[in-house]
Amino acid sequence: MQALASLNLALAFALELAMLAAFAFFGFRITDHLIVRWVLAIGLPVLVAGLWGILLAPKATHRLPMVPGILLSLGLFLLAAVALYVSDRPGLAIAMGAAAILHAALAFAWDQR
């Protein structure tokens, strides 16, 4: 059981990295204006990483309790999946959404955060 719980934490880390990449990809694909593309491709992941660092990171200054934290992380992961879908990557969007839901369900079941 401990090995599966550790795998779920590894899945969470992979989802965090994929989320940042998805927001960067979305930011770059959303417009044809080159400067806006780069600002969004860099700015969106930085904004999300800042929010994550303040509310969800293990050493966050204002870390949310378990249930709101899991729900916020699930929401961000699913928003990243939507960003992938809008960016014409439906397969990646479905995979990310499914992995996010699986992670959240296991985090609730195992009281992980």
Side-chain angles (χ1 to χ4, degrees):
M1 177 83 143
Q2 183 62 29
L4 291 177
S6 295
L7 283 175
N8 192 42
L9 293 176
L11 175 61
F13 181 67
L15 282 168
E16 292 167 26
L17 295 177
M19 172 185 65
L20 295 175
F23 283 126
F25 185 73
F26 171 77
F28 195 79
R29 298 269 314 219
I30 195 68
T31 183
D32 289 332
H33 192 274
L34 188 61
I35 294 173
V36 175
R37 273 183 160 188
W38 282 105
V39 167
L40 289 175
I42 295 168
L44 285 175
V46 168
L47 180 70
V48 172
L51 178 67
W52 194 279
I54 293 169
L55 299 175
L56 298 170
K59 294 184 180 182
T61 54
H62 302 293
R63 190 169 192 210
L64 293 176
M66 189 190 79
V67 173
I70 291 173
L71 291 176
L72 178 59
S73 65
L74 177 62
L76 289 172
F77 293 151
L78 292 177
L79 192 59
V82 170
L84 285 171
Y85 186 82
V86 170
S87 301
D88 295 326
R89 298 295 185 262
L92 289 175
I94 291 168
M96 182 157 190
I101 291 168
L102 174 66
H103 163 67
L106 292 175
F108 274 122
W110 293 330
D111 201 26
Q112 282 183 325
R113 178 93 154 87

